[in-house]
mmCIF file of all heavy atoms in Angstrom:
data_model
loop_
_atom_site.group_PDB
_atom_site.id
_atom_site.type_symbol
_atom_site.label_atom_id
_atom_site.label_comp_id
_atom_site.label_asym_id
_atom_site.label_seq_id
_atom_site.Cartn_x
_atom_site.Cartn_y
_atom_site.Cartn_z
ATOM 1 N N ARG A 1 13.690 -3.693 2.386
ATOM 2 C CA ARG A 1 15.018 -3.720 1.746
ATOM 3 C C ARG A 1 15.577 -5.142 1.701
ATOM 4 O O ARG A 1 16.492 -5.433 0.917
ATOM 5 C CB ARG A 1 15.970 -2.804 2.499
ATOM 6 C CG ARG A 1 16.121 -3.141 3.966
ATOM 7 C CD ARG A 1 16.985 -2.135 4.702
ATOM 8 N NE ARG A 1 16.559 -2.020 6.089
ATOM 9 C CZ ARG A 1 17.290 -1.481 7.045
ATOM 10 N NH1 ARG A 1 18.474 -0.990 6.750
ATOM 11 N NH2 ARG A 1 16.838 -1.395 8.270
ATOM 12 N N TYR A 2 15.041 -6.034 2.551
ATOM 13 C CA TYR A 2 15.521 -7.416 2.576
ATOM 14 C C TYR A 2 14.704 -8.333 1.662
ATOM 15 O O TYR A 2 15.022 -9.521 1.550
ATOM 16 C CB TYR A 2 15.479 -7.959 4.007
ATOM 17 C CG TYR A 2 16.399 -7.227 4.938
ATOM 18 C CD1 TYR A 2 15.902 -6.416 5.953
ATOM 19 C CD2 TYR A 2 17.789 -7.311 4.791
ATOM 20 C CE1 TYR A 2 16.749 -5.725 6.804
ATOM 21 C CE2 TYR A 2 18.649 -6.621 5.636
ATOM 22 C CZ TYR A 2 18.126 -5.830 6.638
ATOM 23 O OH TYR A 2 18.970 -5.141 7.472
ATOM 24 N N PHE A 3 13.688 -7.805 1.011
ATOM 25 C CA PHE A 3 12.852 -8.620 0.121
ATOM 26 C C PHE A 3 13.407 -8.537 -1.303
ATOM 27 O O PHE A 3 13.579 -7.442 -1.842
ATOM 28 C CB PHE A 3 11.414 -8.097 0.115
ATOM 29 C CG PHE A 3 10.616 -8.421 1.349
ATOM 30 C CD1 PHE A 3 11.066 -8.072 2.610
ATOM 31 C CD2 PHE A 3 9.392 -9.071 1.248
ATOM 32 C CE1 PHE A 3 10.332 -8.365 3.739
ATOM 33 C CE2 PHE A 3 8.648 -9.368 2.383
ATOM 34 C CZ PHE A 3 9.128 -9.020 3.633
ATOM 35 N N GLN A 4 13.657 -9.687 -1.916
ATOM 36 C CA GLN A 4 14.033 -9.656 -3.336
ATOM 37 C C GLN A 4 12.880 -9.126 -4.191
ATOM 38 O O GLN A 4 13.109 -8.500 -5.224
ATOM 39 C CB GLN A 4 14.452 -11.048 -3.802
ATOM 40 C CG GLN A 4 15.853 -11.458 -3.389
ATOM 41 C CD GLN A 4 15.960 -11.920 -1.955
ATOM 42 O OE1 GLN A 4 14.953 -12.256 -1.331
ATOM 43 N NE2 GLN A 4 17.175 -11.955 -1.417
ATOM 44 N N THR A 5 11.648 -9.370 -3.767
ATOM 45 C CA THR A 5 10.468 -8.745 -4.374
ATOM 46 C C THR A 5 9.700 -8.050 -3.252
ATOM 47 O O THR A 5 8.881 -8.686 -2.567
ATOM 48 C CB THR A 5 9.565 -9.780 -5.070
ATOM 49 O OG1 THR A 5 10.293 -10.448 -6.105
ATOM 50 C CG2 THR A 5 8.343 -9.106 -5.689
ATOM 51 N N PRO A 6 9.963 -6.754 -3.016
ATOM 52 C CA PRO A 6 9.256 -6.045 -1.935
ATOM 53 C C PRO A 6 7.753 -6.086 -2.166
ATOM 54 O O PRO A 6 7.282 -5.972 -3.298
ATOM 55 C CB PRO A 6 9.794 -4.610 -2.045
ATOM 56 C CG PRO A 6 11.060 -4.716 -2.814
ATOM 57 C CD PRO A 6 10.887 -5.876 -3.744
ATOM 58 N N GLY A 7 7.002 -6.266 -1.081
ATOM 59 C CA GLY A 7 5.562 -6.408 -1.241
ATOM 60 C C GLY A 7 4.766 -5.744 -0.138
ATOM 61 O O GLY A 7 5.281 -5.399 0.926
ATOM 62 N N GLN A 8 3.475 -5.571 -0.432
ATOM 63 C CA GLN A 8 2.506 -5.075 0.532
ATOM 64 C C GLN A 8 1.165 -5.752 0.218
ATOM 65 O O GLN A 8 1.081 -6.554 -0.714
ATOM 66 C CB GLN A 8 2.370 -3.546 0.476
ATOM 67 C CG GLN A 8 3.266 -2.807 1.446
ATOM 68 C CD GLN A 8 2.902 -3.085 2.894
ATOM 69 O OE1 GLN A 8 1.840 -3.631 3.205
ATOM 70 N NE2 GLN A 8 3.780 -2.707 3.808
ATOM 71 N N ASP A 9 0.126 -5.436 0.984
ATOM 72 C CA ASP A 9 -1.182 -6.001 0.665
ATOM 73 C C ASP A 9 -2.288 -4.998 0.983
ATOM 74 O O ASP A 9 -2.153 -4.150 1.860
ATOM 75 C CB ASP A 9 -1.430 -7.317 1.401
ATOM 76 C CG ASP A 9 -1.717 -7.125 2.893
ATOM 77 O OD1 ASP A 9 -1.200 -6.155 3.469
ATOM 78 O OD2 ASP A 9 -2.434 -7.951 3.468
ATOM 79 N N ILE A 10 -3.360 -5.094 0.198
ATOM 80 C CA ILE A 10 -4.565 -4.300 0.430
ATOM 81 C C ILE A 10 -5.706 -5.277 0.688
ATOM 82 O O ILE A 10 -6.068 -6.058 -0.192
ATOM 83 C CB ILE A 10 -4.894 -3.403 -0.771
ATOM 84 C CG1 ILE A 10 -3.777 -2.386 -1.015
ATOM 85 C CG2 ILE A 10 -6.205 -2.664 -0.541
ATOM 86 C CD1 ILE A 10 -4.027 -1.476 -2.192
ATOM 87 N N VAL A 11 -6.257 -5.214 1.888
ATOM 88 C CA VAL A 11 -7.322 -6.132 2.277
ATOM 89 C C VAL A 11 -8.433 -5.360 2.980
ATOM 90 O O VAL A 11 -8.299 -4.178 3.284
ATOM 91 C CB VAL A 11 -6.787 -7.234 3.221
ATOM 92 C CG1 VAL A 11 -5.790 -8.118 2.507
ATOM 93 C CG2 VAL A 11 -6.130 -6.613 4.460
ATOM 94 N N TRP A 12 -9.567 -6.085 3.212
ATOM 95 C CA TRP A 12 -10.668 -5.545 4.008
ATOM 96 C C TRP A 12 -11.158 -4.191 3.482
ATOM 97 O O TRP A 12 -11.482 -3.295 4.238
ATOM 98 C CB TRP A 12 -10.270 -5.407 5.481
ATOM 99 C CG TRP A 12 -9.947 -6.696 6.142
ATOM 100 C CD1 TRP A 12 -8.713 -7.132 6.519
ATOM 101 C CD2 TRP A 12 -10.860 -7.736 6.503
ATOM 102 N NE1 TRP A 12 -8.798 -8.376 7.081
ATOM 103 C CE2 TRP A 12 -10.104 -8.766 7.096
ATOM 104 C CE3 TRP A 12 -12.246 -7.887 6.374
ATOM 105 C CZ2 TRP A 12 -10.686 -9.942 7.561
ATOM 106 C CZ3 TRP A 12 -12.823 -9.061 6.844
ATOM 107 C CH2 TRP A 12 -12.049 -10.073 7.431
ATOM 108 N N ARG A 13 -11.127 -4.022 2.158
ATOM 109 C CA ARG A 13 -11.617 -2.784 1.516
ATOM 110 C C ARG A 13 -10.910 -1.563 2.073
ATOM 111 O O ARG A 13 -11.494 -0.491 2.296
ATOM 112 C CB ARG A 13 -13.140 -2.660 1.679
ATOM 113 C CG ARG A 13 -13.918 -3.849 1.138
ATOM 114 C CD ARG A 13 -15.400 -3.600 1.060
ATOM 115 N NE ARG A 13 -15.695 -2.595 0.037
ATOM 116 C CZ ARG A 13 -15.772 -2.859 -1.276
ATOM 117 N NH1 ARG A 13 -15.571 -4.080 -1.729
ATOM 118 N NH2 ARG A 13 -16.055 -1.898 -2.128
ATOM 119 N N GLY A 14 -9.601 -1.705 2.302
ATOM 120 C CA GLY A 14 -8.810 -0.604 2.845
ATOM 121 C C GLY A 14 -8.660 0.562 1.890
ATOM 122 O O GLY A 14 -8.450 1.697 2.311
ATOM 123 N N VAL A 15 -8.736 0.294 0.588
ATOM 124 C CA VAL A 15 -8.713 1.336 -0.443
ATOM 125 C C VAL A 15 -9.860 1.056 -1.397
ATOM 126 O O VAL A 15 -9.969 -0.051 -1.933
ATOM 127 C CB VAL A 15 -7.376 1.363 -1.214
ATOM 128 C CG1 VAL A 15 -7.425 2.380 -2.345
ATOM 129 C CG2 VAL A 15 -6.216 1.662 -0.277
ATOM 130 N N VAL A 16 -10.726 2.026 -1.606
ATOM 131 C CA VAL A 16 -11.885 1.877 -2.490
ATOM 132 C C VAL A 16 -12.054 3.157 -3.305
ATOM 133 O O VAL A 16 -11.540 4.218 -2.930
ATOM 134 C CB VAL A 16 -13.175 1.589 -1.684
ATOM 135 C CG1 VAL A 16 -13.142 0.192 -1.077
ATOM 136 C CG2 VAL A 16 -13.381 2.632 -0.600
ATOM 137 N N PRO A 17 -12.760 3.068 -4.452
ATOM 138 C CA PRO A 17 -12.909 4.257 -5.303
ATOM 139 C C PRO A 17 -13.621 5.412 -4.616
ATOM 140 O O PRO A 17 -13.256 6.578 -4.813
ATOM 141 C CB PRO A 17 -13.725 3.735 -6.495
ATOM 142 C CG PRO A 17 -13.525 2.267 -6.503
ATOM 143 C CD PRO A 17 -13.349 1.868 -5.070
ATOM 144 N N GLU A 18 -14.641 5.120 -3.827
ATOM 145 C CA GLU A 18 -15.407 6.195 -3.219
ATOM 146 C C GLU A 18 -14.751 6.644 -1.916
ATOM 147 O O GLU A 18 -13.969 5.914 -1.311
ATOM 148 C CB GLU A 18 -16.851 5.750 -2.955
ATOM 149 C CG GLU A 18 -16.996 4.586 -1.983
ATOM 150 C CD GLU A 18 -16.839 3.222 -2.619
ATOM 151 O OE1 GLU A 18 -16.566 3.154 -3.847
ATOM 152 O OE2 GLU A 18 -16.970 2.220 -1.899
ATOM 153 N N GLY A 19 -15.087 7.865 -1.486
ATOM 154 C CA GLY A 19 -14.554 8.372 -0.225
ATOM 155 C C GLY A 19 -13.145 8.915 -0.386
ATOM 156 O O GLY A 19 -12.691 9.260 -1.467
ATOM 157 N N HIS A 20 -12.411 8.966 0.733
ATOM 158 C CA HIS A 20 -11.123 9.659 0.762
ATOM 159 C C HIS A 20 -9.928 8.734 0.955
ATOM 160 O O HIS A 20 -8.785 9.175 0.912
ATOM 161 C CB HIS A 20 -11.131 10.676 1.913
ATOM 162 C CG HIS A 20 -11.427 10.049 3.252
ATOM 163 N ND1 HIS A 20 -10.454 9.419 4.007
ATOM 164 C CD2 HIS A 20 -12.580 9.931 3.953
ATOM 165 C CE1 HIS A 20 -10.999 8.952 5.124
ATOM 166 N NE2 HIS A 20 -12.290 9.243 5.114
ATOM 167 N N ARG A 21 -10.175 7.421 1.152
ATOM 168 C CA ARG A 21 -9.069 6.546 1.555
ATOM 169 C C ARG A 21 -8.056 6.269 0.455
ATOM 170 O O ARG A 21 -6.949 5.784 0.737
ATOM 171 C CB ARG A 21 -9.629 5.226 2.085
ATOM 172 C CG ARG A 21 -10.210 5.349 3.485
ATOM 173 C CD ARG A 21 -10.761 4.035 3.971
ATOM 174 N NE ARG A 21 -11.960 3.655 3.237
ATOM 175 C CZ ARG A 21 -12.573 2.493 3.390
ATOM 176 N NH1 ARG A 21 -12.094 1.589 4.216
ATOM 177 N NH2 ARG A 21 -13.669 2.221 2.709
ATOM 178 N N ALA A 22 -8.385 6.566 -0.799
ATOM 179 C CA ALA A 22 -7.419 6.364 -1.875
ATOM 180 C C ALA A 22 -6.286 7.378 -1.808
ATOM 181 O O ALA A 22 -5.201 7.145 -2.350
ATOM 182 C CB ALA A 22 -8.113 6.455 -3.239
ATOM 183 N N LEU A 23 -6.514 8.512 -1.134
ATOM 184 C CA LEU A 23 -5.507 9.573 -1.067
ATOM 185 C C LEU A 23 -5.142 9.986 0.355
ATOM 186 O O LEU A 23 -4.178 10.724 0.533
ATOM 187 C CB LEU A 23 -6.013 10.821 -1.813
ATOM 188 C CG LEU A 23 -6.054 10.743 -3.333
ATOM 189 C CD1 LEU A 23 -6.701 11.995 -3.902
ATOM 190 C CD2 LEU A 23 -4.649 10.589 -3.902
ATOM 191 N N GLU A 24 -5.893 9.537 1.338
ATOM 192 C CA GLU A 24 -5.660 9.972 2.707
ATOM 193 C C GLU A 24 -5.556 8.762 3.638
ATOM 194 O O GLU A 24 -6.223 7.756 3.442
ATOM 195 C CB GLU A 24 -6.801 10.878 3.189
ATOM 196 C CG GLU A 24 -6.948 12.158 2.388
ATOM 197 C CD GLU A 24 -8.112 13.012 2.880
ATOM 198 O OE1 GLU A 24 -8.724 12.648 3.915
ATOM 199 O OE2 GLU A 24 -8.424 14.032 2.247
ATOM 200 N N GLY A 25 -4.710 8.896 4.656
ATOM 201 C CA GLY A 25 -4.603 7.856 5.655
ATOM 202 C C GLY A 25 -3.526 6.831 5.348
ATOM 203 O O GLY A 25 -2.877 6.855 4.291
ATOM 204 N N THR A 26 -3.335 5.922 6.284
ATOM 205 C CA THR A 26 -2.255 4.941 6.215
ATOM 206 C C THR A 26 -2.271 4.124 4.931
ATOM 207 O O THR A 26 -1.250 3.964 4.255
ATOM 208 C CB THR A 26 -2.332 3.999 7.426
ATOM 209 O OG1 THR A 26 -2.168 4.770 8.622
ATOM 210 C CG2 THR A 26 -1.247 2.941 7.365
ATOM 211 N N ASN A 27 -3.440 3.591 4.560
ATOM 212 C CA ASN A 27 -3.506 2.700 3.404
ATOM 213 C C ASN A 27 -3.194 3.401 2.085
ATOM 214 O O ASN A 27 -2.837 2.748 1.103
ATOM 215 C CB ASN A 27 -4.880 2.047 3.318
ATOM 216 C CG ASN A 27 -5.057 0.962 4.367
ATOM 217 O OD1 ASN A 27 -4.111 0.268 4.722
ATOM 218 N ND2 ASN A 27 -6.266 0.813 4.879
ATOM 219 N N SER A 28 -3.345 4.724 2.036
ATOM 220 C CA SER A 28 -3.100 5.441 0.788
ATOM 221 C C SER A 28 -1.641 5.364 0.350
ATOM 222 O O SER A 28 -1.324 5.646 -0.806
ATOM 223 C CB SER A 28 -3.529 6.906 0.927
ATOM 224 O OG SER A 28 -2.651 7.616 1.792
ATOM 225 N N ALA A 29 -0.736 4.981 1.259
ATOM 226 C CA ALA A 29 0.692 4.928 0.937
ATOM 227 C C ALA A 29 1.167 3.533 0.554
ATOM 228 O O ALA A 29 2.345 3.346 0.242
ATOM 229 C CB ALA A 29 1.505 5.436 2.129
ATOM 230 N N ILE A 30 0.271 2.544 0.564
ATOM 231 C CA ILE A 30 0.682 1.152 0.361
ATOM 232 C C ILE A 30 1.401 0.945 -0.970
ATOM 233 O O ILE A 30 2.434 0.267 -1.044
ATOM 234 C CB ILE A 30 -0.542 0.223 0.473
ATOM 235 C CG1 ILE A 30 -0.954 0.065 1.938
ATOM 236 C CG2 ILE A 30 -0.255 -1.139 -0.134
ATOM 237 C CD1 ILE A 30 -2.199 -0.774 2.135
ATOM 238 N N GLY A 31 0.852 1.497 -2.058
ATOM 239 C CA GLY A 31 1.448 1.268 -3.369
ATOM 240 C C GLY A 31 2.863 1.802 -3.462
ATOM 241 O O GLY A 31 3.788 1.120 -3.923
ATOM 242 N N LYS A 32 3.068 3.029 -3.010
ATOM 243 C CA LYS A 32 4.389 3.645 -3.068
ATOM 244 C C LYS A 32 5.360 3.041 -2.060
ATOM 245 O O LYS A 32 6.568 3.172 -2.207
ATOM 246 C CB LYS A 32 4.271 5.149 -2.811
ATOM 247 C CG LYS A 32 3.780 5.950 -4.008
ATOM 248 C CD LYS A 32 4.800 5.991 -5.124
ATOM 249 C CE LYS A 32 4.360 6.908 -6.254
ATOM 250 N NZ LYS A 32 5.329 6.937 -7.372
ATOM 251 N N CYS A 33 4.832 2.375 -1.043
ATOM 252 C CA CYS A 33 5.683 1.744 -0.038
ATOM 253 C C CYS A 33 6.601 0.714 -0.691
ATOM 254 O O CYS A 33 7.819 0.746 -0.521
ATOM 255 C CB CYS A 33 4.823 1.100 1.043
ATOM 256 S SG CYS A 33 5.748 0.309 2.382
ATOM 257 N N SER A 34 6.017 -0.194 -1.460
ATOM 258 C CA SER A 34 6.821 -1.252 -2.073
ATOM 259 C C SER A 34 7.560 -0.779 -3.314
ATOM 260 O O SER A 34 8.714 -1.150 -3.543
ATOM 261 C CB SER A 34 5.931 -2.447 -2.415
ATOM 262 O OG SER A 34 4.910 -2.078 -3.328
ATOM 263 N N SER A 35 6.923 0.054 -4.154
ATOM 264 C CA SER A 35 7.565 0.466 -5.404
ATOM 265 C C SER A 35 8.761 1.384 -5.157
ATOM 266 O O SER A 35 9.755 1.348 -5.890
ATOM 267 C CB SER A 35 6.555 1.155 -6.331
ATOM 268 O OG SER A 35 6.126 2.390 -5.800
ATOM 269 N N SER A 36 8.700 2.217 -4.118
ATOM 270 C CA SER A 36 9.831 3.103 -3.818
ATOM 271 C C SER A 36 11.066 2.296 -3.448
ATOM 272 O O SER A 36 12.183 2.582 -3.914
ATOM 273 C CB SER A 36 9.468 4.060 -2.676
ATOM 274 O OG SER A 36 8.419 4.929 -3.043
ATOM 275 N N VAL A 37 10.880 1.269 -2.612
ATOM 276 C CA VAL A 37 12.007 0.420 -2.233
ATOM 277 C C VAL A 37 12.575 -0.300 -3.450
ATOM 278 O O VAL A 37 13.790 -0.367 -3.646
ATOM 279 C CB VAL A 37 11.580 -0.593 -1.158
ATOM 280 C CG1 VAL A 37 12.703 -1.586 -0.864
ATOM 281 C CG2 VAL A 37 11.175 0.133 0.118
ATOM 282 N N ALA A 38 11.691 -0.830 -4.295
ATOM 283 C CA ALA A 38 12.151 -1.549 -5.486
ATOM 284 C C ALA A 38 12.970 -0.641 -6.397
ATOM 285 O O ALA A 38 14.005 -1.051 -6.942
ATOM 286 C CB ALA A 38 10.953 -2.121 -6.237
ATOM 287 N N ARG A 39 12.530 0.591 -6.562
ATOM 288 C CA ARG A 39 13.241 1.506 -7.455
ATOM 289 C C ARG A 39 14.582 1.929 -6.877
ATOM 290 O O ARG A 39 15.560 2.099 -7.610
ATOM 291 C CB ARG A 39 12.357 2.711 -7.747
ATOM 292 C CG ARG A 39 11.300 2.389 -8.799
ATOM 293 C CD ARG A 39 10.155 3.342 -8.846
ATOM 294 N NE ARG A 39 9.334 3.109 -10.046
ATOM 295 C CZ ARG A 39 8.098 3.520 -10.199
ATOM 296 N NH1 ARG A 39 7.498 4.196 -9.212
ATOM 297 N NH2 ARG A 39 7.433 3.267 -11.306
#
């Protein structure tokens, strides 16, 4: 809430096309984390 441009990061292959990590687990929420605050 204190960021004029809220941000997050995806590193170390935390989200990849194969497997379940795109929809399950901590990293799956990264995208909505920053966009929800911005909206």
Side-chain angles (χ1 to χ4, degrees):
R1 57 185 149 163
Y2 296 111
F3 285 55
Q4 282 79 18
T5 300
Q8 267 295 347
D9 74 330
I10 297 179
V11 295
W12 297 108
R13 304 191 68 81
V15 176
V16 290
E18 62 276 2
H20 57 82
R21 284 180 291 174
L23 288 174
E24 298 179 6
T26 299
N27 286 326
S28 70
I30 285 177
K32 282 291 186 181
C33 181
S34 60
S35 67
S36 296
V37 174
R39 281 162 169 161

